[in-house]
Structures are given as C-alpha cells and as structure tokens.
C-alpha cells in the first residue's frame, strides 16, 4: 500500500520519515519523532469513521485495551502500532476479565452504534446496519441473521430450498436464546485475527464491528475461529461475569451470524457450516 504522507501528517501532526507496507490495505509508518503508527486504507464509504468510532467506544469502557486512534479521513485511519508478544495463560485470564468488563459497560440498545458511529457500518468488508431493537431474539433474527441469509441466497452461496432451516431457527429464537440479558458493548468481530497479544502482556483488540448486542455473540466468535488459551480466557470471564446456565449449548445460535457473513464474503463452504449449525441446533 502506498501511504499518502499528507493525510498521515494531518492526522498525527508529524511528518512521515518512512513506511513499510504490510498488505494492500495496511502499512507501518514511521513519523519524524521516531514513533511508529499503523495506517489503514479502506475503499468502503464510511468504514474508517465506523472503525474509529468503534475503537473509541471500546476504549471508553476502560477495560480491554485497544490501539489509540490518531484520526481518520474518508478512506484512511491512523492508529498506534501494537508491539507483538506471545499468547500466554496469564494474559488470557486477564483478557477474559477485561472482556467481561467491556460487555458490562453496556449499550443503549441492541444494535446501537457507538457514539458518533454510523448506522450503516461494516463487519469486515460486508455492510452491517445498526438498527436498534429492544428484544434480542427478534432483533438478532431481523437485523443479523436474515439479512445475510437473503444475500447469501441471492449470491448463490445458499440454495433457495436450504434457507428454510435457518428461517425455522429464527422462529424458535425466543425459546433458544436463553435468559434475557441487557445489551452488552460488543467488539462485534471477535475472531482471533483481531486479538493481538502485545509485548506488554495485555491483549489489544483491533478492527471492531462494535454495537450493542448479546455478550455470548463475542464469545461464540472466539470459539468459532479459535483463540489461544481460550479456556483460560473463559475462566477469567466467568470470574467477573458468570454466564447464564446453558450458554455452551447456545454457541451455535450466536455463530450463525458470522458464518452467514462469511458465506456472503467467501462462499459456499461457510454456507454449509451455517446450515449444519442450524440443523444441529434445531435437532438438539
């Protein structure tokens, strides 16, 4: 990625002295005072603004650490670089405790965007609309599962006749959802690639799709894509905020959303996982 030095200078107040591309969308940039920042380029309208608002909202909880936001312009985001460390058991327990505190910081409603965050946001590169709701099962079906199911059908990842099993699961959500909970402050895209194990022994979270939701959704995504020392993360979480009885049996319900997002973005393989998850949840 070629960095626009004028953008970085405006957002950091410092001139650029060097850069190192990390991918087509990311670069590490050295400022003239020796600090290193990460510059992210996004082609989706409003994505930089949504990500910046999400990072600031997570930081405001004073729990899980996130990289400081230096600023954003349309298509550009500048944040602190996180010096990398190695996953460790103590860091995992600490992360679990901090994640529980983040969730407990709450949100005004299910689907509520971060303050100053747009209603039309993103999860990865997929559009994600943050419409508010008061009833989690209904909101989750209407705003998270069914929109991506319809898009997956339109794009051929899910065949029309297969969609019915997911629709049946949505109809049963009031029974399957477990005890009612208050809206939690979610990272929203909590797969292991967005969990950075920093050199200082603390986890940093990046690339949020932050919104108000059910806390089990973040935990289900950690289960779906794996996380180092996940059992220790859960130990720390349960110390601070014990999960409702039966939570492990609801993991599949919460994984439907990210699986369908991945079906939209990456195709049939994830669609098959989503369909099997729906079948097994209904059968269980």
């Amino acid at each position: 990625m070629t960095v626009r030095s004028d953008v970085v200078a405006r957002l950091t107040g410092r001139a650029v002295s060097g850069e190192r591309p990390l991918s087509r969308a990311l670069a590490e940039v050295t400022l003239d005072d020796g600090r290193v920042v990460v510059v992210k380029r996004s082609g989706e309208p409003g994505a930089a603004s949504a990500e910046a608002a999400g990072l600031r909202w997570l930081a405001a909880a004073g729990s899980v650490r996130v990289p400081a936001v230096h600023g954003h312009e349309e298509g550009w985001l500048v944040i602190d670089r996180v010096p990398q460390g190695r996953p460790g058991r103590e860091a995992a327990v600490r992360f679990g405790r901090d994640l529980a505190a983040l969730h407990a910081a709450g949100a005004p409603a299910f689907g509520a965007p971060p303050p100053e965050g747009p209603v039309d946001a993103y999860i990865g590169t997929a559009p994600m609309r943050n419409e508010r709701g008061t009833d989690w099962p209904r909101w989750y079906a209407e705003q998270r599962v069914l929109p991506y199911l319809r898009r997956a059908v339109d794009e051929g990842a899910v065949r029309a006749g297969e969609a019915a099993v997911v629709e049946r699961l949505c109809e049963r959500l009031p029974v399957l959802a477990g005890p009612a909970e208050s809206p939690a402050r979610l990272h929203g895209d909590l797969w292991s690639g967005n969990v950075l194990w920093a050199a200082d022994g603390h986890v940093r979270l990046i690339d949020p799709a932050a919104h108000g939701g059910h806390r089990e959704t973040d935990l289900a995504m950690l289960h779906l894509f794996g996380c180092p020392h996940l059992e220790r993360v859960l130990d720390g979480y349960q110390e601070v905020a014990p999960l409702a009885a039966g939570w492990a049996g609801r993991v599949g319900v919460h994984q439907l959303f990210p699986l369908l997002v991945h079906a939209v973005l990456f195709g049939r393989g994830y669609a098959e996982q989503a369909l099997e998850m729906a079948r097994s949840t209904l059968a269980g």
Side-chain angles (χ1 to χ4, degrees), residues 138-177:
R138 180 176 179 179
W139 171 84
Y140 184 64
E142 294 180 354
Q143 299 299 327
R144 289 298 180 259
V145 176
L146 294 176
Y148 296 95
L149 177 65
R150 287 191 288 267
R151 185 170 168 186
V153 170
D154 290 344
E155 297 182 4
V158 172
R159 301 181 184 107
E162 296 172 324
V165 65
V166 178
E167 294 168 345
R168 285 199 300 274
L169 186 146
C170 287
E171 291 170 359
R172 292 195 58 199
L173 275 174
V175 175
L176 297 171

Side-chain angles (χ1 to χ4, degrees), residues 6 21 31 40 49 57 106 108-109 112 121 124 134 168 216 218 268 270:
D6 61 319
L31 306 177
K40 183 174 183 179
S49 173
W57 193 43
T134 57
R168 285 199 300 274
E216 291 177 12
D218 268 354
R268 178 67 184 173
Y270 286 105

Side-chain angles (χ1 to χ4, degrees), residues 87-153:
R89 292 168 64 85
E90 290 185 8
V93 173
R94 186 183 303 117
F95 170 44
R97 293 173 183 147
D98 290 345
L99 183 61
L102 171 68
H103 290 163
F110 298 112
E116 301 180 8
V119 170
D120 290 307
Y122 296 88
I123 178 166
T125 58
M128 183 184 79
R129 188 166 177 81
N130 285 321
E131 290 281 1
R132 299 185 183 216
T134 57
D135 175 72
W136 184 80
R138 180 176 179 179
W139 171 84
Y140 184 64
E142 294 180 354
Q143 299 299 327
R144 289 298 180 259
V145 176
L146 294 176
Y148 296 95
L149 177 65
R150 287 191 288 267
R151 185 170 168 186
V153 170

Side-chain angles (χ1 to χ4, degrees), residues 250-264:
R250 295 188 291 272
V251 166
V253 169
H254 293 271
Q255 288 178 345
L256 264 185
F257 166 49
L259 282 172
L260 287 169
V261 170
H262 277 69
V264 168

Side-chain angles (χ1 to χ4, degrees), residues 9-234:
R10 279 197 299 274
L11 295 178
T12 64
R14 308 297 308 193
V16 171
S17 63
E19 65 180 77
R20 182 171 74 94
L22 301 176
S23 69
R24 289 186 298 175
L26 289 174
E28 286 185 351
V29 171
T30 303
L31 306 177
D32 63 1
D33 61 1
R35 288 179 298 151
V36 180
V37 296
V38 170
V39 179
K40 183 174 183 179
R41 180 78 173 103
S42 175
E44 289 81 21
S49 173
E51 186 171 339
L55 286 169
R56 288 172 173 144
W57 193 43
L58 300 185
S63 54
V64 176
R65 301 185 183 197
V66 300
V69 177
H70 290 274
H72 65 90
E73 289 187 6
E74 185 56 49
W76 296 91
L77 176 69
V78 181
I79 61 176
D80 271 350
R81 182 188 63 165
V82 178
Q84 295 294 291
R86 295 175 63 84
R89 292 168 64 85
E90 290 185 8
V93 173
R94 186 183 303 117
F95 170 44
R97 293 173 183 147
D98 290 345
L99 183 61
L102 171 68
H103 290 163
F110 298 112
E116 301 180 8
V119 170
D120 290 307
Y122 296 88
I123 178 166
T125 58
M128 183 184 79
R129 188 166 177 81
N130 285 321
E131 290 281 1
R132 299 185 183 216
T134 57
D135 175 72
W136 184 80
R138 180 176 179 179
W139 171 84
Y140 184 64
E142 294 180 354
Q143 299 299 327
R144 289 298 180 259
V145 176
L146 294 176
Y148 296 95
L149 177 65
R150 287 191 288 267
R151 185 170 168 186
V153 170
D154 290 344
E155 297 182 4
V158 172
R159 301 181 184 107
E162 296 172 324
V165 65
V166 178
E167 294 168 345
R168 285 199 300 274
L169 186 146
C170 287
E171 291 170 359
R172 292 195 58 199
L173 275 174
V175 175
L176 297 171
E181 297 215 3
S182 300
R185 188 171 306 193
L186 297 191
H187 175 279
D189 192 9
L190 198 57
W191 72 288
S192 60
N194 290 338
V195 178
L196 302 186
W197 302 82
D200 63 2
H202 291 272
V203 162
R204 302 294 194 284
L205 299 184
I206 60 170
D207 295 348
H211 63 280
H214 196 302
R215 61 188 180 134
E216 291 177 12
T217 303
D218 268 354
L219 298 174
M221 195 173 291
L222 284 177
H223 278 83
L224 179 61
F225 296 111
C227 177
H229 303 294
L230 181 54
E231 290 305 315
R232 299 294 287 164
V233 174
L234 291 171

